């Protein structure tokens, strides 16, 4: 009987020791999971659910690095958005237009693409599209973004977007920063035309400040380049 007690005692002690360790380890695991979720949420825009600038940059770089010449990155800027915000529907209508635009961009880019909101009414995307389908897919995007948006009171708001895109095959670089700068310049070149513009070498030489085309909002203050 005594021998049995001597065997069980160490087992009980080991169990107690393991349990004691498990409690703080479990606590740290829960904390780590919670922190990861908070960090993931912080990388997304609260209004649209899209990736923020940092999150988009990380995902877009993965796409350009992986797909190279088959990658396509772009900038989307809503036309006359201030008029929507200042119109009868106010900021609620503006928020609705932003949310719908985000959903349309996400659907167009697909599950393997990346879509981000850079700020205000400016969005960015990175997708895999081969050269034979670039023009068709960009035209498809502009048509999709030009569909009227129904706001909360049931009214339809006319919307349109300017789209500029750039690809490594044309510009000769996979570096995301110059690709986005060229896409931004191409977008500006096609502003209010109703058509997407694919950047050429001439768009890559446009002067930039803080990673954005000179004269664009936000270039006069310190900013983070893409």
């Amino acid at each position: 009987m005594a021998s049995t007690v001597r065997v069980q005692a160490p087992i009980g002690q080991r169990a107690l020791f393991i349990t004691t360790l498990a409690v703080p380890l479990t606590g740290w695991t829960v904390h780590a999971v919670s922190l990861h979720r908070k960090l993931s949420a912080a990388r997304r825009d609260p209004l649209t659910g899209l990736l923020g600038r940092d999150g988009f940059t990380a995902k877009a770089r993965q796409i350009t690095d992986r797909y190279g010449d088959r990658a396509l990155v772009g900038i989307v800027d809503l036309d006359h958005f201030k008029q929507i915000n200042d119109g009868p529907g106010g900021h609620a209508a503006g928020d609705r237009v932003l949310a719908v635009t985000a959903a349309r961009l996400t659907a167009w880019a697909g599950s393997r693409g990346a879509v981000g909101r850079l700020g205000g009414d400016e969005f960015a995307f990175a997708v895999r599209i081969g050269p034979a389908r670039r023009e068709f897919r960009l035209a498809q995007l502009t048509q999709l973004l030009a569909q009227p948006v129904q706001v909360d009171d049931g009214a339809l708001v006319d919307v349109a977007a300017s789209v500029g895109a750039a690809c490594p095959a044309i510009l000769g670089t996979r570096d995301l920063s110059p690709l986005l700068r060229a896409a931004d310049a191409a977008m500006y070149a096609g502003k209010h035309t109703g058509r997407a513009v694919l950047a050429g070498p001439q768009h890559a030489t446009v002067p930039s400040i803080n990673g954005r085309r000179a004269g664009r909002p936000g270039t006069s203050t310190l900013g983070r380049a893409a």
Side-chain angles (χ1 to χ4, degrees):
M1 184 70 175
S3 60
T4 303
V5 173
R6 283 196 300 271
V7 172
Q8 288 180 343
I11 293 176
Q13 290 172 2
R14 287 198 300 271
L16 178 61
F17 178 71
I18 292 172
T19 302
T20 304
L21 281 178
V23 172
L25 286 174
T26 302
W28 278 111
T29 300
V30 172
H31 174 73
V33 170
S34 176
L35 180 61
H36 176 73
R37 288 175 178 173
K38 289 179 180 179
L39 289 173
S40 296
R43 292 162 66 90
R44 291 194 173 270
D45 173 59
L47 175 63
T48 63
L50 295 180
L51 293 168
R53 182 180 291 272
D54 290 344
F56 169 77
T57 298
K59 185 69 179 295
R61 280 181 174 148
Q62 291 176 1
I63 291 173
T64 55
D65 288 344
R66 180 175 182 179
Y67 296 117
D69 289 351
R70 293 172 294 167
L72 185 73
V73 300
I75 297 289
V76 175
D77 195 71
L78 294 179
D79 297 339
H80 310 298
F81 182 70
K82 188 176 185 301
Q83 295 179 16
I84 298 174
N85 257 343
D86 295 341
H91 289 288
D95 288 350
R96 173 65 177 164
V97 169
L98 290 173
V100 170
T101 298
R104 290 172 175 175
L105 272 168
T106 300
W108 176 83
S111 59
R112 296 185 179 181
V115 179
R117 184 185 179 197
L118 303 185
D121 60 332
E122 185 180 45
F123 302 85
F125 63 80
V127 292
R128 175 191 176 186
I129 299 177
R133 291 178 55 81
R134 283 186 200 128
E135 291 187 7
F136 169 76
R137 293 281 280 133
L138 287 172
Q140 182 187 54
L141 177 60
T142 55
Q143 293 174 7
L144 180 64
L145 296 179
Q147 299 300 313
V149 174
Q150 186 174 35
V151 294
D152 292 341
D153 62 2
L156 290 176
V157 175
D158 289 329
V159 295
S162 297
V163 180
C167 62
I170 294 176
L171 298 185
T173 179
R174 296 186 183 186
D175 189 341
L176 183 64
S177 293
L179 288 172
L180 284 176
R181 286 198 298 269
D184 183 61
M187 182 275 298
Y188 181 73
K191 194 71 176 167
H192 306 306
T193 64
R195 62 183 181 85
V197 177
L198 185 61
Q202 71 275 19
H203 298 108
T205 59
V206 173
S208 64
I209 302 173
N210 295 328
R212 295 164 64 86
R213 174 178 43 78
R216 194 152 168 74
T219 56
S220 60
T221 57
L222 182 63
R224 173 179 290 181

